[in-house]
Amino acid sequence: MNGILGYQWKPDLKFVLTSVLYLSFLFEVICPKLSTHFTGDFFDVLAYVAGGVGYYLFVVKQIHKKASSSAS
């Protein structure tokens, strides 16, 4: 999206953690209360956290590293 729309936005750790918390709360707390098709599972929350950490370490850090090396 940044390349297509010309934005310079880069996700940071706060954005990733907030997204993990939001999705965990939505899919593991709210949705199971609204429908029997959803189940709340602590291991799914761990998977969200692992995915967020992996995304931050392998994608976001690389974006920031490339941006800082091209700026100098």
Side-chain angles (χ1 to χ4, degrees):
M1 293 298 292
N2 282 345
I4 293 169
L5 299 175
Y7 294 144
Q8 297 300 317
W9 181 80
K10 296 167 188 65
D12 58 358
L13 182 60
K14 186 169 84 171
F15 173 80
V16 173
L17 291 177
T18 304
S19 298
V20 166
L21 287 172
Y22 171 75
L23 291 172
S24 297
F25 185 72
L26 177 66
F27 289 117
E28 304 304 322
V29 177
I30 299 296
C31 287
K33 290 183 187 281
L34 298 176
S35 173
T36 58
H37 295 286
F38 294 96
T39 58
D41 185 7
F42 178 72
F43 292 110
D44 286 344
V45 174
L46 292 178
Y48 296 145
V49 171
V53 169
Y55 176 76
Y56 182 76
L57 292 176
F58 297 111
V59 176
V60 174
K61 282 207 153 226
Q62 296 302 319
I63 291 171
H64 289 290
K65 194 180 294 186
K66 285 181 186 178
S68 65
S69 68
S70 65
S72 29

